[in-house]
Amino acid sequence: MKILDKYLLKTFLLTFTTVFVILFFIFILQTVWLFISELAGKDLDLILVVKFLLFSMPRIIPLVLPLSVLLASIMTFGNLAENYEFAAMKSSGISLQRAMRVLIIFIFVLSIVAFWFANNVIPYAEYKFVNFRKNIAQAKPAMAIAEGQFNDVGTYNIKVNKKTGENGNHLTGVTIHEKANNMGENKTVIKAKTGVLVSNEKSSILKLVLNDGYYYQDVTPKKYEDRAKMPFIKGKFKTQIINIDLSELNKVDDSKESIAGTNGMLNVNELRYTLDSLNKNLDNEIVSFSENINQRVGIKKFSSDTQKNKKKPLPNDVLSIYSNKDKVDILKMAGSNITSNIYSIETTQKDLKEKEREINKHYNALYEKFVIAFACFLMFFIGAPLGAIIRKGGLGLPIVFAVLIFITFHFINTFGKRLSQEGGMTPFMGSWMSSFVLSPLAILLTYRATNDNGLINFDAITTPISQLFQKISEQFLPAQKQK
């Protein structure tokens, strides 16, 4: 390895490591903010908090790594151009491609490592992260409930005044709001003097035993005029047991992007096997439903009966052979069958749509492992020539360009995946859309940097305008002189 290659590699690695550590720390703070409700006020030990963060760290790599490569490339080559080191290289006959050669090899190795990390480490960490959250609540169930505030756990909002005992399992002053049908409406309120939390590590059910309490339940009368009286049911109990499903702790809204589904816990081979099973199940369900609905509407039976009774054709008005009473019964039965079939079709359609969405999510998870590897290459071939063109290093202008480019990349990537999940495009296009959109930019910047052209050729814009004004002035001045 020549001295120049060592110098470029050392400069890039130093910048890349610094940028990666800073960005990684920033995204860790974002993770803490996302899960602050689970970490704050839960009497968590420092070791548990550290494990929580360690299991959540690998999921940050797909965001931090491409951005670090982009910013480090702009800063490194911007510093070289700003200090006229590139001018010295070119005067010695060293082109931009020759200067980038050793770094291209490094980025190639980094892409392989990124793919291995996305295929092995991230699925394992995702699996451990989800199970770690559930195991915390099972081993120390009181952590799921903080003192002096309402805690949303499944279909219950629970508030306790005080927790005692070795693991905080004994509760005092318990108030529970039960949400009816998961719609967020508090139809039932339970108040108890004391309570005990009981859990089993082999079960995801948390048992809450309440003692000496009352419950109040709103009643919605059938008659509208009786609703103004606001009736309710009041009861008293010595002991009451409430079962809470801890699996609800791992169910987070997809728009918050805090916890992925099970597709994020699988590697490439497991995703391919799962996709094969999901596609076969979907195809079998479609065939089964189509055969079932054909039998319900009598298509096969009607066609076979028609073949047998060719000699006895039916009249144009089939109902004319029945009496009026039979006509009414037949029409009612037909209407009921139509309504039932429409409902069955709509329900099955929603179910099939949900299964297709789940399949698309698995495809996105599969392609995402390759996208992160290609993103490292893409960001390098955008950042390196861009730094050589703008000739600015440091943390000023390079950060502005890096943030704008990465936000564009991340927005297109997120938009494509969401659109592909809903069936708006194929999962392949949705996952690779950001790479396809920014690849021409990388080619353009590399071409312009190789030919020592600026970022924007202002002469190509200003020259036609100046020529136009010159022609107008030449035509206008002679007219003034003639007057």
Side-chain angles (χ1 to χ4, degrees):
M1 184 180 291
K2 295 185 178 181
I3 297 176
L4 177 62
D5 295 332
K6 291 181 180 179
Y7 173 70
L8 290 174
L9 183 60
K10 179 181 177 182
T11 304
F12 182 83
L13 285 178
L14 182 62
T15 307
F16 173 77
T17 305
T18 304
V19 170
F20 183 84
V21 171
I22 294 173
L23 292 176
F24 195 81
F25 179 74
I26 293 174
F27 279 91
I28 282 294
L29 293 179
Q30 182 193 19
T31 301
V32 174
W33 177 257
L34 286 174
F35 295 101
I36 191 66
S37 60
E38 297 187 25
L39 299 176
K42 299 292 180 71
D43 298 330
L44 290 175
D45 299 334
L46 180 61
I47 297 178
L48 293 177
V49 175
V50 171
K51 286 184 178 180
F52 189 94
L53 294 177
L54 284 176
F55 290 143
S56 63
M57 282 180 182
R59 63 168 56 197
I60 304 173
I61 299 298
L63 289 175
V64 177
L65 190 59
L67 181 57
S68 300
V69 172
L70 175 63
L71 187 55
S73 302
I74 297 176
M75 293 175 64
T76 300
F77 284 82
N79 279 324
L80 293 174
E82 187 178 12
N83 297 327
Y84 297 100
E85 293 178 274
F86 263 137
M89 293 179 193
K90 291 178 181 178
S91 64
S92 302
I94 300 174
S95 63
L96 178 64
Q97 288 85 350
R98 171 62 184 83
M100 293 170 58
R101 186 173 66 183
V102 65
L103 295 181
I104 291 175
I105 297 174
F106 170 75
I107 295 299
F108 178 75
V109 176
L110 183 65
S111 299
I112 295 176
V113 174
F115 173 77
W116 176 85
F117 193 88
N119 189 45
N120 297 280
V121 179
I122 293 180
Y124 175 77
E126 196 74 18
Y127 172 78
K128 297 290 290 186
F129 179 70
V130 172
N131 285 276
F132 181 72
R133 294 174 66 195
K134 186 178 71 173
N135 292 337
I136 285 178
Q138 290 175 342
K140 298 182 69 176
M143 289 183 180
I145 302 173
E147 291 183 357
Q149 65 184 33
F150 278 100
N151 303 268
D152 192 1
V153 183
T155 58
Y156 299 96
N157 282 318
I158 304 174
K159 178 183 177 182
V160 297
N161 295 334
K162 189 177 181 180
K163 297 189 299 183
T164 57
E166 182 179 357
N167 295 323
N169 290 8
H170 296 276
L171 312 177
T172 304
V174 183
T175 303
I176 300 175
H177 291 172
E178 183 179 358
K179 294 175 286 186
N181 299 325
N182 294 328
M183 297 299 292
E185 299 178 1
N186 296 325
K187 294 292 186 180
T188 304
V189 179
I190 303 173
K191 297 180 70 68
K193 293 182 179 180
T194 60
V196 180
L197 288 169
V198 182
S199 64
N200 185 356
E201 295 185 1
K202 297 181 180 180
S203 175
S204 61
I205 301 299
L206 175 64
K207 183 184 295 184
L208 176 57
V209 182
L210 302 176
N211 302 313
D212 297 330
Y214 297 85
Y215 72 90
Y216 308 87
Q217 184 176 8
D218 292 338
V219 178
T220 303
K222 295 182 179 180
K223 295 182 179 180
Y224 181 80
E225 56 272 13
D226 293 337
R227 297 183 182 181
K229 301 177 182 179
M230 293 184 294
F232 66 92
I233 299 174
K234 178 181 178 181
K236 181 180 180 180
F237 58 86
K238 283 290 183 182
T239 302
Q240 183 171 347
I241 299 175
I242 296 178
N243 294 320
I244 303 173
D245 189 2
L246 291 177
S247 62
E248 295 293 331
L249 294 174
N250 290 328
K251 292 183 180 179
V252 182
D253 188 5
D254 290 336
S255 60
K256 297 180 181 179
E257 295 185 356
S258 55
I259 288 188
T262 56
N263 47 29
M265 306 178 191
L266 307 176
N267 58 31
V268 171
N269 294 329
E270 292 170 342
L271 282 169
R272 287 176 176 172
Y273 178 81
T274 305
L275 281 168
D276 183 62
S277 300
L278 291 175
N279 284 316
K280 286 182 178 178
N281 291 336
L282 180 63
D283 293 339
N284 293 334
E285 188 167 345
I286 292 175
V287 172
S288 175
F289 176 75
S290 61
E291 292 177 352
N292 183 35
I293 201 69
N294 288 338
Q295 291 178 358
R296 291 178 63 177
V297 299
I299 292 179
K300 293 183 178 180
K301 182 178 179 181
F302 179 77
S303 60
S304 60
D305 290 344
T306 305
Q307 293 292 333
K308 295 179 181 179
N309 300 323
K310 283 185 177 180
K311 298 180 180 180
K312 299 179 180 179
L314 295 174
N316 294 331
D317 187 5
V318 180
L319 292 177
S320 61
I321 63 178
Y322 295 99
S323 63
N324 292 334
K325 183 178 180 303
D326 291 337
K327 289 180 182 179
V328 173
D329 294 337
I330 292 172
L331 291 175
K332 285 183 179 180
M333 184 180 299
S336 177
N337 289 335
I338 292 173
T339 303
S340 176
N341 290 333
I342 291 175
Y343 177 77
S344 177
I345 292 172
E346 290 178 350
T347 304
T348 305
Q349 187 178 16
K350 291 180 181 179
D351 185 48
L352 295 177
K353 186 70 175 178
E354 187 63 30
K355 291 185 177 181
E356 288 180 355
R357 188 182 293 111
E358 190 66 24
I359 291 175
N360 291 336
K361 287 181 180 180
H362 281 74
Y363 273 118
N364 287 333
L366 175 64
Y367 296 136
E368 193 68 22
K369 301 182 188 303
F370 298 92
V371 170
I372 181 178
F374 182 77
C376 295
F377 258 105
L378 180 63
M379 293 302 160
F380 176 75
F381 280 99
I382 291 176
L386 182 60
I389 291 173
I390 64 176
R391 299 179 181 179
K392 288 291 183 181
L395 296 174
L397 191 60
I399 288 184
V400 176
F401 279 104
V403 169
L404 289 176
I405 293 171
F406 185 76
I407 287 177
T408 303
F409 175 82
H410 185 62
F411 173 78
I412 297 174
N413 189 34
T414 304
F415 175 77
K417 288 193 295 184
R418 292 294 174 87
L419 190 61
S420 63
Q421 288 176 9
E422 299 300 327
M425 63 173 61
T426 61
F428 178 82
M429 284 299 301
S431 299
W432 287 94
M433 183 191 297
S434 55
S435 300
F436 292 155
V437 171
L438 292 182
S439 292
L441 176 62
I443 297 172
L444 176 64
L445 291 175
T446 304
Y447 174 79
R448 297 189 70 85
T450 304
N451 294 281
D452 293 328
N453 295 328
L455 182 61
I456 299 176
N457 190 358
F458 290 100
D459 292 337
I461 301 175
T462 57
T463 301
I465 297 175
S466 61
Q467 291 177 352
L468 178 63
F469 277 105
Q470 186 177 359
K471 290 182 180 179
I472 294 174
S473 61
E474 289 176 354
Q475 294 177 358
F476 181 73
L477 289 176
Q480 289 286 344
K481 290 180 180 180
Q482 290 178 0
K483 291 181 180 180

